Amino acid sequence: MDSSKNFFAWFSFMAALAMAVASRLPYDEVKMNGAWEDAHATFYGDMSGGETMQGACGYGDLKRQGYGLETAALSTALFNNGSTCGACFEIICVNDPQWCLKGAGSIKITATNFCPPNYTKTKDIWCNPPQKHFDLSMPMFVKLAPSKAGIIPVRYRRILCSKQGGVKFEVKGNPNWTLVLVYNVGGAGDVTAVQVKGSSTGWLPMSRNWGQNWQTGTVLLGQGLSFQVTTSDGKTLQFDNVAPRNWQFGQTFQGRGNF
């Protein structure tokens, strides 16, 4: 009986210890490397990727901003009203021996656009809810299957984003309204909250305008700007003195550090 009690006590201790360790694991180990989920993939544009520029996340020139053509437009079920913009995914082609390229491996993409639903159709409605769908750039699609495949079954999972350099802030708007595009975000990639601090203000919460464009109606011209950025894993980084007092609309500034 005593040995049974001792074993139970030891087992309970080890289980509690394992849970405590798991709670301290990096976000990628706890959240990112989960089970693969089923979806489908198509492509839009041509090999130049011109049609993938701009888009519903607000990034603009994806090549200049460092995303390149390793991108995708997400269906309604994945886009989440723009809050998934900037998240990164790993995708593999599955269960289609006719089209899945043998030994293709996986591709890694960043969500930069929205694949809108089409409620006027009754078939080929891949981007309609509740379907999970990736509309890839053509260069990414042909890494998995030939373009004539058109649509392929895939599996996907969230992964950490790996970006070069610091988080970047493109400042737009007018003297009475400031709009900031936050991009080149590593780690979880998708920004869920932004605060700005002028050299003459305290910290001011910004609201999402669209995609990863964040806004405030507080007048900030003539003030140096600092930012706090929070990603979907709950991590927050503070970027002090990102923009000098003489910043102008249309300029982009790089913070020191990344997720």
Side-chain angles (χ1 to χ4, degrees):
M1 180 67 71
D2 289 341
S3 61
S4 297
K5 289 182 177 179
N6 289 339
F7 175 78
F8 179 77
W10 174 84
F11 181 83
S12 299
F13 170 77
M14 294 302 293
L17 179 62
M19 291 179 66
V21 171
S23 68
R24 289 170 171 79
L25 286 173
Y27 181 74
D28 58 330
E29 294 183 34
V30 176
K31 300 291 186 182
M32 291 296 186
N33 292 336
W36 294 86
E37 297 187 51
D38 292 323
H40 283 85
T42 50
F43 68 90
Y44 67 116
D46 56 23
M47 289 298 289
S48 72
E51 291 186 27
T52 67
M53 300 297 110
Q54 309 301 321
C57 290
Y59 292 126
D61 187 336
L62 298 173
K63 293 180 180 179
R64 180 179 62 83
Q65 293 171 336
Y67 295 102
L69 299 179
E70 298 174 345
T71 62
L74 306 187
S75 64
T76 303
L78 295 172
F79 190 67
N80 199 18
N81 293 320
S83 63
T84 310
C85 290
C88 295
F89 297 86
E90 184 176 13
I91 301 172
I92 56 175
C93 184
V94 296
N95 301 327
D96 194 340
Q98 178 183 3
W99 296 122
C100 292
L101 295 176
K102 187 176 181 179
S106 65
I107 61 170
K108 297 176 181 180
I109 58 90
T110 303
T112 59
N113 205 351
F114 176 49
C115 182
N118 186 342
Y119 297 108
T120 67
K121 299 172 65 177
T122 57
K123 62 179 182 178
D124 300 332
I125 49 174
W126 302 112
C127 290
N128 286 27
Q131 300 190 84
K132 297 177 179 179
H133 189 86
F134 295 86
D135 203 14
L136 302 168
S137 68
M138 188 176 182
M140 287 295 100
F141 185 90
V142 298
K143 289 179 181 290
L144 300 176
S147 60
K148 62 183 178 180
I151 183 168
I152 53 174
V154 299
R155 288 191 180 129
Y156 74 94
R157 63 179 178 178
R158 281 285 300 272
I159 59 172
L160 289 173
C161 301
S162 178
K163 304 301 181 186
Q164 299 295 316
V167 173
K168 295 183 179 180
F169 305 85
E170 182 180 354
V171 186
K172 299 172 282 187
N174 60 52
N176 298 309
W177 172 69
T178 303
L179 185 70
V180 179
L181 171 64
V182 183
Y183 69 97
N184 197 51
V185 180
D190 47 343
V191 175
T192 57
V194 179
Q195 294 194 83
V196 62
K197 182 179 180 294
S199 51
S200 301
T201 74
W203 286 105
L204 305 168
M206 305 185 79
S207 61
R208 188 190 303 274
N209 184 284
W210 62 287
Q212 288 299 352
N213 284 282
W214 298 80
Q215 65 185 358
T216 179
T218 301
V219 175
L220 295 172
L221 269 177
Q223 300 183 52
L225 302 180
S226 300
F227 295 94
Q228 289 180 349
V229 177
T230 302
T231 48
S232 64
D233 55 356
K235 293 181 180 178
T236 299
L237 289 183
Q238 183 167 311
F239 303 92
D240 293 320
N241 305 314
V242 171
R245 291 178 180 269
N246 63 346
W247 62 267
Q248 299 294 318
F249 292 111
Q251 289 184 305
T252 298
F253 303 95
Q254 180 170 275
R256 291 185 289 273
N258 211 322
F259 289 88

